[in-house]
Every structure is written in structure tokens, then in C-alpha cells.
Amino acid sequence: MARHFFAALVRNTISLIGTALAVATLTLFITLFVVQSLGLEGGAYLGIFTFILLPLLFVTGLILIPIGIHRENKRLAAHTGDGAHFPVFDLNSEKTRKGLIIFVALTLFNIVVLAAATFEAVEVMDSTPFCGTVCHTVMQPEYTAHQRSPHARVDCADCHIGPGAEWFVKAKISGSWQLVAVALNLYPTPIPTPIHNLRPARETCEQCHWPTNHVGDLLRVKSVYQPDEANSEYKTAVLLKVGGIAGREYSGIHWHVRQDVQINYLSDESREKIYELEMTAPDGTVTVYKGSEEAPEDANHRRAMDCVDCHNRPTHRYQLPGDGIDKAMSTGLIDKTLPFIKREGLRVLQTSYDSHEQARAQIQQDITDFYREQYPGIDDDKSAEINAAAAELGDIYSVNVFPAMKVDWGTYPDHSGHDGCFRCHGRLKTAEGKGIPRNCGFCHTVLAWEEQDPEILKTINP
Ligand code: HEC
Ligand code: HEC
Ligand code: HEC
Ligand code: HEC
Ligand code: HEC
């Protein structure tokens, strides 16, 4: 029987090609699998090749084999005038039993190989390098921002898909369309935000975060530099009432995501303009708030508020030029003793460039020219600091602006600050005229606001 099988294989070209394909891809698959298990990191492309392309070819090979045998049998039958197209299985014959065992063993082996390949294929497609690098240009802004964020070690799929089969299938369906869109250059630039079919954040973020655990207040201190010659430094400090459960009280900023609070709102597509809102308080009372502007007839973006309504940039964070320079100056990446570096930095960052390479080169040129022309002495003494500052400005540009994707300063707004909160606070009112509060002490205590040497910081950190 086994001999018959092999004889049947070589007798027709289709089965022969199928066998060759299956054997070759299987050998290659096992080799690459072993090599990669031993720790060789081949990157996303090798992963796609090993775990997606090879298994597809392997299955194609396997399918070709019976097709070839069937066609051959049909041909033989026609030749001999014999009507029987299907082989007769007689389990009393030892030959048949042996053949059956070989067949079952081979099939089991194939199933194991395919299962391993499927598992790895899923891993590869969900890996951050796959999401971030396979579609280089398209995902470059998100990937770059992700690499620099507190979530750099969290995979794209952990937030975008989350656990369980349902969202996995949804993500793979939309992912397949995305691959087509990328291949045919059909994707929009910039990629629009918000993502309307993102899995509810409570099911993804809460795998790791528990809003009830953010108890108490969060101190935020930041330095702002003025565009004067001395780059005068001012400090701002706020104590944010982040909230959470303390004892049995649950209040503060994370009050919105209490299990017993429901906030549903109607907005435009961008979620920047909120028309009306329905809030169910812990005691069950329902309050409706409305903006001064009537919702247009076709407004249909309804949504239950969750983490992403404030933390829409937990990982794809982009700075504005001023914030980027301030941060770099306060951490010493840009030397704050260079005269006018804040003003000049703003000037070069707010210029438009065609590419990151052009931006870096032009910024280097502009900054060195400025000091050579305006500060001939400093130009020599501090040439290392000037070069470092120019390089850092080039970096700030390159991680926030992506000309190829039309992502510019501020293309993606951040809702975790005033602009986000004030979409509701201070804007929406009940029919009786009661508003959602906007007084300055409601969300935080402002300890110091752009002061040169705030007393309070000396007290906290003498
Ligand atoms: C910590 C969670 C998290 C991780 C990790 C994450 N994302 Fe996102 N991503 C989000 C959220 C939240 C949004 C914004 C959703 C919204 O506003 O509707 C978003 C938006 C996007 C967008 C739409 C454009 C935009 O900026 O709003 C793209 C594209 C994207 N992510 C790709 C990726 C890729 C690629 C990775 C991995 C390199 C990744 N994401 C990792 C949470 C995450
Ligand atoms: C797989 C685990 C994981 C998931 C899922 C996750 N995070 Fe995080 N998150 C982290 C880790 C780790 C940190 C970094 C903590 C640190 O550096 O102190 C972090 C930090 C944060 C911070 C503080 C950032 C800062 O500026 O210090 C916020 C806000 C946050 N996450 C929100 C979210 C939101 C919103 C989501 C869902 C869209 C989410 N996270 C999903 C693990 C996760
Ligand atoms: C009403 C807006 C809002 C909502 C909704 C919200 N947060 Fe926050 N959250 C904030 C603000 C504001 C801060 C403090 C400043 C910051 O980190 O941006 C914060 C801080 C955090 C931090 C950092 C805390 C720390 O101690 O550093 C984490 C983690 C976090 N939120 C997770 C979540 C998760 C998870 C959800 C959803 C279950 C959520 N938040 C819902 C506004 C919100
Ligand atoms: C989608 C609308 C909406 C957004 C956006 C929003 N809030 Fe609220 N917030 C509300 C509503 C509604 C209440 C309840 C007001 C009331 O009880 O009168 C509330 C209440 C609060 C409270 C009081 C909670 C308590 O202890 O009772 C704080 C603090 C707060 N918000 C802070 C913020 C901050 C900070 C942001 C931005 C990061 C923000 N909110 C964004 C709708 C919103
Ligand atoms: C609805 C809540 C809310 C209200 C009301 C509010 N703020 Fe804020 N404010 C925030 C949040 C959230 C942040 C933190 C933003 C961040 O971390 O980027 C903040 C930050 C600040 C900062 C720090 C500066 C900075 O750039 O980070 C100052 C100063 C400030 N607020 C002043 C005020 C003043 C003045 C008022 C009254 C007109 C006010 N805030 C009302 C939520 C609020």
C-alpha cells in the first residue's frame, strides 16, 4: 500500500510538484524554526516568511498531492474502461492496515506542524515590530512615539486588541483590509484619530491598571523657559486630584470611571465637540447636560466615557515645540546657558521641512550660523554645546513631525489636560442652568504658576 502510494505520487506531475513543495517547505520551516528557537532574531520579515508564507506553501503542496492522484486514477480508469474511481479499502488486508497507520501518522505530524505555525504566525502578527515596521511609513509616527513612551514595553496588540477571541477576529479582519490599503497606497495621511472601533479601554487598560488604585494627589512640577537672552526659567507646580478609593470615598479625577457612574455623550466625529451628555450618578439619578450649540441632525457618535476619553495619548504622545524644548532644557540635553536658545529653538522647529534628514541638516546649519554671526566668542568656546543643542532640536522635530504622513505639531490633540477636560467642564449645562464645574480648585491645587523661585518648592525640596 505504501509502495502503491509512493508509486502513485511519482506517476503524475501534479502530485510530484506537490510532494516536492511540501518536503522543501517543511525542511526549510524546521530549519528556520530551530534557528529562531536558538535565539537568532530575524526580525518581522523572517517571521512572516517562516510562519506565514512557508506554511501556506506547505499546505498548497499537501493539497496538490491528492488532486494529482485523483486525476491520475481517473485517467487510468478511462484508459482501462474500468468505472471504479475510488480505491477499495479492505481492512482485512495487512497492507491496507499498514498504509492506514502511515497515513494517520503523517496526518497527525502535519497537524502538529500547522498548529505550531499558526501559533507562531499569530505571535508574529501581534508583535510590536510587525505592527510598527512592516508598514514603515504608515506607522512611523505611532511607532516612534510608542518607543519613547511609558508603554514602550507594552505590545501594540495589548491595547489595540486585548485578550479573547472576539476582538482578535475583529482585529484580524480589519488588519487584512489595512494590509491591502497599505499595499495599494489607499491609506489616509495622517491616519485619522480617534479610532472609532477601539476595544473599550476598560477591557484592555485594566489588564494592567486599576483606576481605584490611584489614591490621592499627584504632584506635577515643570519648568518653562522664556524667549529672552537669558532663557529665564519659570516654574509651575500643580497638585492633581487624581483620586481613587481611599477608605470608602471615591472621588477626584478618576471618579468618571467608577463602576457605578455612567457617562454617555453625543459628539462630532472627532470627539472635540461634545453636544450633550447623560450622567448616571452612584445614587441612580440621571442628569442631562447640553452645550450651547444644538447637535446637528446627523450627529450619531454616541459613546460611553472610558479611560481613552482622557488618556487618548497614553503611548502615542507628541509634544508641541515649546514643551519639547523646555523638557530638553530642564534635563540638560539642551544647554540653558546658550543665549536665546529657547527663541532660536522655537524658530527652527516651526519651520517646515521635507524630511527628517533635511530638518536635521538645516537645523544644524541654522543654529551654528546664528551663534557664529551673533556671538562670535561663544561660537568657539561652546561649539560642543551648540552642536549638541542643534542635534537635540533635530531629534525633537523628528519624533514629533512626520512630513511623509502629514503629521505636524498638534495634529493629534491630547485630552488629558485642559483642552480635553474643558470639552465638558465649563461648557455643558443642565436645563436648569447648572454647569459642570470649571473653577480652578476643582481638579487641582495650583501651588505655583510660572514663578521664578517658588517658595512652595523650597519647602517641599529644601
Ligand atoms: C498603552 C496602549 C497602547 C499601545 C501599547 C499602543 N497603542 Fe496605538 N493607540 C492607543 C490609543 C488609546 C489610541 C487613540 C485612540 C483614540 O483616540 O481613539 C491609539 C491610536 C493609534 C493609531 C491611530 C492614530 C492615533 O495616533 O490616534 C494608530 C495608527 C496606532 N494607535 C498604532 C499603534 C501601533 C503601531 C502600536 C505599537 C507600536 C500601538 N498603537 C501601541 C493605545 C495604544
Ligand atoms: C500590559 C500592561 C499595560 C497595559 C495594557 C496598559 N498599560 Fe498603562 N502603563 C503600564 C506600565 C508598565 C506603565 C509604566 C509605569 C511606570 O513607568 O511607572 C504604564 C503607565 C501608564 C500611565 C502613566 C504614564 C505617565 O505619564 O507616567 C498612564 C496614564 C497609563 N499607563 C494609561 C494606560 C491606558 C489609558 C491604557 C489603555 C489604553 C493602558 N495604560 C494600558 C502598563 C500597561
Ligand atoms: C476624566 C479623565 C480621566 C479618565 C476618564 C481616566 N483618567 Fe487616568 N488620569 C487622568 C489624569 C488627569 C491623570 C494625571 C495626569 C496624567 O497622568 O496625565 C491620570 C493619571 C492616571 C495614571 C497615572 C497615575 C500615577 O500615579 O502616575 C494612570 C495609570 C491612569 N490615570 C489610568 C487610568 C485608567 C486605566 C483609566 C480608565 C479605567 C483612567 N485612567 C481614566 C485623567 C483620567
Ligand atoms: C465627557 C465629559 C467630561 C470630560 C471630557 C471630563 N469630565 Fe470631569 N466630569 C464630568 C461630569 C458630567 C462630572 C460630574 C459633574 C457633577 O457632578 O456635577 C464630572 C466631574 C468631575 C470631577 C468631580 C468628581 C467628584 O469627585 O465628584 C472632577 C475632579 C473632574 N470631573 C475632573 C476632570 C478632568 C481633570 C478632566 C480632564 C482630564 C475631565 N474631568 C474631563 C464630565 C466630563
Ligand atoms: C476640569 C479640571 C480642571 C479645571 C477646572 C482646571 N484645570 Fe488646570 N489642569 C487640569 C489638568 C488635568 C492639568 C494637568 C495637565 C497635564 O498634566 O498636562 C492641569 C494643569 C494646570 C496647570 C499646570 C500647567 C501646565 O501647563 O501643565 C495650571 C497652571 C493650571 N492647570 C491652571 C488652572 C487654572 C488657572 C484653572 C482655572 C481657570 C484651572 N487650571 C482649571 C485640569 C483642570
XYZ file of all heavy atoms in Angstrom, residues 149-155 158-160 198-199 201-209 214 220 254 307-308 310-315 317, ligand 2:
316
model
N 7.614 56.113 25.004
C 6.566 56.354 25.994
C 6.716 55.425 27.184
O 7.491 54.480 27.146
C 5.201 56.132 25.349
O 4.890 54.754 25.349
N 5.944 55.694 28.260
C 5.988 54.773 29.403
C 5.502 53.376 29.013
O 5.739 52.439 29.752
C 5.024 55.393 30.420
C 4.664 56.726 29.915
C 5.019 56.804 28.472
N 4.853 53.235 27.870
C 4.344 51.941 27.439
C 5.234 51.258 26.400
O 4.785 50.342 25.713
C 2.933 52.084 26.858
C 1.914 52.395 27.889
N 1.262 53.589 27.952
C 1.460 51.669 28.924
C 0.438 53.587 28.982
N 0.530 52.431 29.591
N 6.489 51.703 26.298
C 7.362 51.163 25.255
C 7.447 49.643 25.316
O 7.650 48.986 24.303
C 8.752 51.774 25.362
N 7.292 49.079 26.497
C 7.390 47.618 26.619
C 6.030 46.925 26.524
O 5.933 45.724 26.730
C 8.059 47.246 27.951
C 9.509 47.648 28.023
C 10.327 46.777 27.074
N 11.691 47.239 26.951
C 12.680 46.884 27.753
N 12.447 46.070 28.741
N 13.891 47.347 27.583
N 4.973 47.707 26.275
C 3.645 47.111 26.123
C 3.395 46.932 24.621
O 3.566 47.873 23.855
C 2.556 48.016 26.758
C 1.177 47.442 26.532
C 2.831 48.206 28.242
N 3.026 45.736 24.198
C 2.834 45.485 22.767
C 1.618 46.221 22.223
O 0.629 46.405 22.930
C 2.642 43.992 22.511
C 3.967 43.256 22.537
O 5.011 43.921 22.352
O 3.969 42.035 22.766
N -1.684 44.600 22.920
C -2.259 44.621 24.270
C -3.288 45.735 24.431
O -4.237 45.602 25.198
C -1.159 44.775 25.330
C -0.380 43.485 25.523
O -0.885 42.432 25.080
O 0.722 43.534 26.084
N -3.085 46.858 23.761
C -4.070 47.936 23.840
C -5.051 47.867 22.678
O -6.221 48.177 22.830
C -3.392 49.297 23.803
S -2.447 49.662 25.277
N -4.549 47.495 21.491
C -5.422 47.589 20.326
C -6.319 46.375 20.147
O -7.319 46.450 19.452
C -4.611 47.871 19.060
C -4.162 49.297 19.001
N -4.985 50.308 18.583
C -3.013 49.886 19.382
C -4.354 51.462 18.677
N -3.149 51.238 19.162
N -12.100 51.057 18.550
C -11.109 50.584 19.524
C -11.843 49.785 20.602
O -12.945 50.144 21.010
C -10.410 51.787 20.170
C -9.134 51.501 20.963
C -7.984 51.168 20.007
C -8.736 52.694 21.812
N -11.239 48.695 21.030
C -11.869 47.905 22.078
C -12.047 48.774 23.323
O -11.150 49.529 23.677
C -10.961 46.730 22.430
C -11.563 45.852 23.475
C -10.770 44.592 23.630
N -11.481 43.692 24.496
C -11.111 42.454 24.748
N -10.010 41.986 24.205
N -11.809 41.700 25.543
N -11.678 50.605 26.510
C -10.401 50.662 27.226
C -10.421 49.901 28.541
O -9.406 49.401 28.989
C -10.038 52.122 27.467
N -11.618 49.799 29.149
C -11.662 49.139 30.437
C -11.243 47.687 30.311
O -10.736 47.097 31.248
C -13.069 49.230 31.022
C -13.624 50.617 30.845
C -14.346 51.171 31.996
N -13.834 50.779 33.275
C -14.247 51.318 34.389
N -15.149 52.252 34.355
N -13.767 50.933 35.527
N -11.457 47.100 29.119
C -11.075 45.697 28.946
C -9.599 45.538 28.609
O -9.053 44.454 28.719
C -11.912 45.064 27.819
C -13.379 44.986 28.168
C -14.245 44.626 26.970
O -13.733 44.044 26.000
O -15.449 44.955 27.018
N -8.958 46.614 28.132
C -7.541 46.498 27.789
C -6.680 47.119 28.890
O -5.890 46.428 29.523
C -7.249 47.172 26.437
O -7.781 48.483 26.446
C -7.866 46.384 25.312
N -6.891 48.423 29.173
C -6.058 49.113 30.164
C -6.132 48.422 31.516
O -5.139 48.319 32.230
C -6.502 50.554 30.343
S -6.829 51.416 28.809
N -7.322 47.931 31.869
C -7.492 47.373 33.213
C -6.880 45.988 33.369
O -6.921 45.406 34.444
C -8.966 47.418 33.629
C -9.385 48.848 33.928
C -10.771 48.986 34.549
O -11.312 47.974 35.016
O -11.281 50.110 34.537
N -6.284 45.454 32.264
C -5.453 44.265 32.429
C -4.255 44.605 33.313
O -3.692 43.738 33.970
C -4.917 43.796 31.066
C -5.971 43.356 30.098
C -6.589 42.046 30.528
O -5.872 41.128 30.898
N -7.897 41.991 30.512
N -3.838 45.864 33.259
C -2.639 46.278 33.993
C -2.941 47.355 35.034
O -2.302 47.417 36.068
C -1.578 46.808 33.043
S -1.048 45.612 31.815
N -3.873 48.252 34.735
C -4.139 49.385 35.640
C -5.478 49.218 36.320
O -6.442 48.795 35.703
C -4.199 50.701 34.873
C -2.935 51.047 34.187
N -1.809 51.425 34.862
C -2.616 51.071 32.876
C -0.845 51.675 33.991
N -1.309 51.461 32.790
N -5.326 54.573 42.134
C -4.635 55.861 42.141
C -5.203 56.691 43.255
O -6.094 57.498 43.059
C -4.802 56.585 40.815
C -4.514 55.686 39.664
N -3.328 55.029 39.563
C -5.272 55.312 38.623
C -3.359 54.291 38.474
N -4.533 54.433 37.899
N 2.784 67.621 40.046
C 3.437 67.828 38.748
C 4.182 69.153 38.787
O 3.580 70.189 39.054
C 2.401 67.900 37.626
C 1.847 66.560 37.213
C 2.816 65.859 36.277
N 2.628 64.418 36.331
C 1.910 63.725 35.441
N 1.305 64.344 34.477
N 1.813 62.432 35.563
N -10.497 60.441 38.763
C -10.921 59.119 38.305
C -12.346 58.737 38.714
O -12.776 57.606 38.488
C -9.902 58.046 38.733
C -8.689 58.039 37.843
N -7.443 57.731 38.278
C -8.560 58.349 36.522
C -6.588 57.835 37.269
N -7.251 58.213 36.199
N -11.420 55.254 29.847
C -10.067 55.783 30.052
C -9.592 56.649 28.876
O -8.951 57.690 29.057
C -9.049 54.657 30.226
S -9.594 53.278 31.224
N -9.895 56.187 27.643
C -9.345 56.809 26.452
C -9.940 58.202 26.185
O -9.391 58.984 25.425
C -9.518 55.837 25.253
C -9.231 56.490 23.929
C -8.613 54.627 25.458
N -9.870 60.546 28.267
C -8.843 61.460 28.780
C -7.467 61.010 28.315
O -6.700 61.792 27.780
C -8.865 61.521 30.301
S -10.426 62.114 30.948
N -7.180 59.707 28.502
C -5.856 59.193 28.113
C -5.887 58.743 26.656
O -5.701 57.576 26.363
C -5.472 58.005 28.994
C -5.373 58.338 30.443
N -4.364 59.133 30.944
C -6.150 57.997 31.501
C -4.525 59.252 32.265
N -5.607 58.579 32.621
N -6.159 59.663 25.732
C -6.158 59.248 24.321
C -4.732 59.182 23.787
O -4.501 58.659 22.714
C -7.017 60.189 23.460
C -6.436 61.579 23.370
O -5.780 62.036 24.305
N -6.658 62.263 22.273
N -3.772 59.693 24.549
C -2.369 59.607 24.135
C -1.550 58.922 25.219
O -0.556 59.457 25.676
C -1.764 61.007 23.895
C -2.529 61.887 22.957
C -2.061 61.756 21.521
N -3.175 61.480 20.649
C -3.147 60.568 19.688
N -2.069 59.856 19.469
N -4.187 60.354 18.942
N -1.961 57.727 25.662
C -1.154 57.101 26.709
C 0.207 56.695 26.161
O 1.172 56.614 26.898
C -1.967 55.861 27.103
C -2.781 55.532 25.911
C -3.063 56.846 25.232
N 0.273 56.476 24.872
C 1.534 55.990 24.325
C 1.946 56.709 23.050
O 3.119 56.876 22.804
C 1.449 54.452 24.126
O 2.763 53.940 23.973
C 0.615 54.071 22.928
N 2.410 59.774 22.167
C 2.467 61.132 22.699
C 3.321 62.013 21.830
O 4.442 61.661 21.508
C 3.123 61.106 24.072
C 2.257 60.502 25.077
C 2.857 60.700 26.442
N 2.026 59.964 27.361
C 2.292 59.808 28.624
N 3.373 60.372 29.127
N 1.477 59.126 29.375
C 0.388 45.367 29.508
C 0.207 46.307 30.590
C -0.369 47.682 30.296
C -1.491 47.979 29.558
C -2.419 47.045 28.785
C -1.667 49.412 29.697
N -0.675 49.951 30.462
Fe -0.509 51.882 31.081
N 1.265 51.500 31.955
C 1.852 50.252 32.021
C 3.190 50.391 32.545
C 4.179 49.264 32.767
C 3.374 51.774 32.813
C 4.633 52.478 33.276
C 4.682 52.638 34.730
C 5.909 53.459 35.064
O 6.768 53.691 34.206
O 5.951 53.905 36.198
C 2.150 52.447 32.454
C 1.903 53.802 32.619
C 0.687 54.423 32.367
C 0.339 55.795 32.679
C 1.223 56.810 33.400
C 2.047 57.464 32.366
C 2.975 58.507 32.896
O 2.990 59.581 32.295
O 3.702 58.217 33.843
C -0.928 56.024 32.202
C -1.723 57.326 32.279
C -1.380 54.790 31.599
N -0.387 53.842 31.716
C -2.617 54.626 30.998
C -2.979 53.490 30.272
C -4.147 53.406 29.428
C -5.154 54.518 29.237
C -4.161 52.146 28.894
C -5.193 51.547 27.922
C -5.361 52.250 26.657
C -3.006 51.443 29.397
N -2.308 52.296 30.206
C -2.704 50.117 29.104
C 1.278 49.061 31.644
C 0.151 48.936 30.855
